[in-house]
Amino acid sequence: IVGFTNMCKQVSPLEVMTFLNQLYSRFDALLDIYKVYKVETIGDCFMVAGGLVAQDEDGWRTTITHDRLHAVRVLAFAKVNLPTGGPVMMRVGMHSGPVMSGVVGSRMPRFCLFGDTVNTASRMES
């Protein structure tokens, strides 16, 4: 989010958390519409990926092996205008390519993505 650090200096922590909760809740509502997977949120970073998982006919999450529209869906998700009080300007990093994924950790297991594709998208955002 452009200006996030400065905003944090100007408003109370409760206002920051309320803002992020409202923004991320709106993003969460769009995940199924655009068929993207929420990987994680860290601070003002909301990471999604397309072409990773989908529900099969029995309702189980399965890995997608070939989906030509995953990049289009991620881009459409990033372009959605949010009905907030003022404009929210965001930096978006996108990259297409292979990733390695899996659940890591035992205390608080997390589904993580690894690889140059993820690193490049992260660098493009900053």
Side-chain angles (χ1 to χ4, degrees), residues 53-99:
V53 294
Q55 283 189 334
D56 64 15
E57 57 277 352
D58 296 323
W60 294 97
R61 294 250 180 214
T62 60
T63 303
I64 296 174
T65 56
H66 184 68
D67 179 5
R68 289 182 242 167
L69 295 177
H70 72 271
V72 173
R73 291 185 182 121
V74 171
L75 183 59
F77 179 86
K79 284 185 171 181
V80 170
N81 294 323
L82 299 171
T84 58
V88 176
M89 295 187 298
M90 297 177 284
R91 290 182 300 274
V92 176
M94 291 184 66
H95 190 50
S96 178
V99 297

Side-chain angles (χ1 to χ4, degrees), residues 22-31 46 77 80 82 90:
Q22 290 173 347
L23 181 65
Y24 290 174
S25 293
R26 289 180 179 154
F27 281 153
D28 288 344
L30 299 172
L31 294 171
F46 189 98
F77 179 86
V80 170
L82 299 171
M90 297 177 284

Side-chain angles (χ1 to χ4, degrees), residues 8-68:
C8 289
K9 294 175 186 175
Q10 297 171 6
V11 300
S12 72
L14 180 60
E15 289 175 291
V16 172
M17 292 307 297
T18 300
F19 166 73
L20 286 176
N21 185 51
Q22 290 173 347
L23 181 65
Y24 290 174
S25 293
R26 289 180 179 154
F27 281 153
D28 288 344
L30 299 172
L31 294 171
D32 289 335
I33 294 169
Y34 290 97
K35 297 183 182 350
V36 295
Y37 179 78
K38 177 180 174 180
V39 179
E40 64 185 346
T41 58
I42 299 175
D44 67 331
C45 176
F46 189 98
M47 183 178 183
V48 300
L52 293 179
V53 294
Q55 283 189 334
D56 64 15
E57 57 277 352
D58 296 323
W60 294 97
R61 294 250 180 214
T62 60
T63 303
I64 296 174
T65 56
H66 184 68
D67 179 5
R68 289 182 242 167

Side-chain angles (χ1 to χ4, degrees), residues 92-113:
V92 176
M94 291 184 66
H95 190 50
S96 178
V99 297
M100 181 64 170
S101 64
V103 177
V104 296
S106 57
R107 180 98 181 222
M108 292 182 66
R110 294 180 52 179
F111 176 75
C112 295
L113 299 178

